[in-house]
Amino acid sequence: SAFFNGSFAALFKTEKMVALNISPIVFQLYVSTGVFLSSWLVIPFLRYNQELMNDNTVGTSFEFSPLGLVGGVLLVMAIAGSFQAVEAVGLALGQGIWGGAAMVVSYMWGDVVFHETPSNVGASIGALIMLVFGVGCIALCDLISQYFAQCTICSRSGMDIEASIPLQSDSNENASNEVDDTLGSTNDYKRGVVWALFVGLSGGSILAPLHYVPPSQQGLVFLPSFGIGAMLTAPLAYCLHAFFSSEKPNFHVKEASGTGLLSGLLWNIGNLLSIIGIAAIGYGVAYPIFQCAILVSGVWGIYVFHEIRETGTIVVFWVGGVILVAGGALLAMSQ
């Protein structure tokens, strides 16, 4: 699930999409449509639902689930909110905030709300801390690498880091201005943090409604209703964005729709695997581990799209990745 959830957005970064300069809010329309269409592909396989879920009480035929609509709505809310967060605080910080928040939220759903108490609570909390720390290292690997590089320079020259800052050349003043431009005003920064927390809250809750549906709507049966919810909400999210931003982007239907639909299919494969995983190990363990998708998306960014080239930054990324994987393994063992 983490692999597919970390890979679906990579299609947005392909050369074809970059050349089109397609708006993210338009792309999410195609992604949501892909989620909707692919949700119906499970219909022929509903007969195997009991085997997949390892539960003889779950349904084996289609049944509409109102709570499935809620899950689809939460998905679109998370996608739309992420655009607002990235616009205000950037992708790295935004993704770090909502990734960590989603881990905590999903853990709280499982442990506090669903009472999926792990056998070793201390180990599970320690694992959650490792997961959040790993996400932070991955999301902020560039800033962390720059900080340690500055520490190394200052230690070799015998200078204090803070004392060295005023003595820097105009290039550092330009860098400072770039940081100011990125963060914007204090209000923009706060708005971005709030949006990122909103994304973490909704993203960490996407499959929480699954806990409350009757057995006849569990497992694969849940997916078609989920897709309907995403399909109904995506146009509304686009209209709200267009109304408040006055943006009228080009839809590039012929060029971009196929890529967007494939992206939605990939996300929904991960969603399906999430549902199966939750049935096996519980929401509070499975969903935080699924958030390790940030590691997968980072690998795409480094080795396919070459977004990060500095060796030090890549080292910090993989340190965060090791911590992330170790935290996921510890969380699984805490059960």
Side-chain angles (χ1 to χ4, degrees):
S1 175
F3 171 78
F4 287 103
N5 285 332
S7 300
F8 84 97
L11 295 178
F12 182 68
K13 300 179 181 180
T14 59
E15 291 183 3
K16 182 179 180 181
M17 295 300 101
V18 172
L20 290 175
N21 194 28
I22 187 170
S23 170
I25 197 67
V26 171
F27 194 75
Q28 69 89 24
L29 280 174
Y30 299 138
V31 172
S32 299
T33 304
V35 170
F36 168 73
L37 294 176
S38 60
S39 293
W40 294 93
L41 296 178
V42 302
I43 296 296
F45 302 98
L46 291 181
R47 68 181 71 178
Y48 305 110
N49 195 30
Q50 293 182 348
E51 288 81 1
L52 288 172
M53 303 300 293
N54 195 27
D55 186 350
N56 292 329
T57 65
V58 300
T60 56
S61 60
F62 172 73
E63 183 176 333
F64 177 73
S65 173
L67 287 176
L69 295 179
V70 177
V73 170
L74 289 172
L75 166 64
V76 175
M77 288 170 59
I79 295 176
S82 66
F83 299 149
Q84 300 294 330
V86 169
E87 182 181 9
V89 297
L91 178 60
L93 182 56
Q95 192 172 42
I97 293 173
W98 75 58
M103 287 179 172
V104 174
V105 168
S106 56
Y107 179 84
M108 296 299 290
W109 272 111
D111 190 44
V112 178
V113 181
F114 303 153
H115 304 294
E116 300 171 350
T117 305
S119 59
N120 191 328
V121 177
S124 68
I125 294 176
L128 186 65
I129 293 173
M130 291 177 65
L131 288 170
V132 174
F133 185 76
V135 167
C137 286
I138 292 173
L140 302 176
C141 59
D142 188 40
L143 292 177
I144 295 172
S145 175
Q146 291 180 27
Y147 174 78
F148 280 110
Q150 185 66 43
C151 288
T152 301
I153 293 172
C154 291
S155 63
R156 289 178 179 176
S157 61
M159 297 169 57
D160 180 74
I161 296 177
E162 294 184 0
S164 70
I165 294 176
L167 300 178
Q168 302 303 309
S169 62
D170 292 340
S171 61
N172 273 355
E173 293 181 8
N174 294 333
S176 177
N177 290 335
E178 290 178 2
V179 172
D180 290 340
D181 291 340
T182 301
L183 296 180
S185 67
T186 302
N187 289 335
D188 287 340
Y189 180 76
K190 290 180 179 179
R191 178 174 61 85
V193 171
V194 170
W195 273 113
L197 290 173
F198 170 79
V199 173
L201 176 62
S202 54
S205 306
I206 287 176
L207 288 179
L210 184 64
H211 181 81
Y212 298 101
V213 301
S216 61
Q217 300 171 10
Q218 291 278 352
L220 303 186
V221 181
F222 185 78
L223 275 180
S225 300
F226 183 97
I228 293 173
M231 189 71 256
L232 292 177
T233 311
L236 177 60
Y238 171 83
C239 292
L240 289 174
H241 176 83
F243 177 78
F244 287 108
S245 67
S246 299
E247 179 186 2
K248 295 181 179 179
N250 194 321
F251 280 80
H252 298 290
V253 177
K254 183 178 179 180
E255 301 89 349
S257 58
T259 303
L261 292 176
L262 178 59
S263 180
L265 170 63
L266 292 178
W267 187 90
N268 217 14
I269 293 175
N271 190 37
L272 170 61
L273 295 174
S274 298
I275 292 174
I276 297 173
I278 289 170
I281 59 177
Y283 195 92
V285 174
Y287 226 66
I289 295 176
F290 299 153
Q291 300 302 322
C292 292
I294 187 177
L295 175 62
V296 178
S297 60
V299 170
W300 279 105
I302 293 173
Y303 297 105
V304 177
F305 301 111
H306 305 292
E307 296 174 338
I308 301 175
R309 300 177 183 272
E310 296 78 11
T311 302
T313 304
I314 295 175
V315 169
V316 174
F317 170 87
W318 279 113
V319 168
V322 170
I323 295 173
L324 194 66
V325 172
L330 180 60
L331 186 62
M333 291 187 293
S334 71
Q335 287 297 99

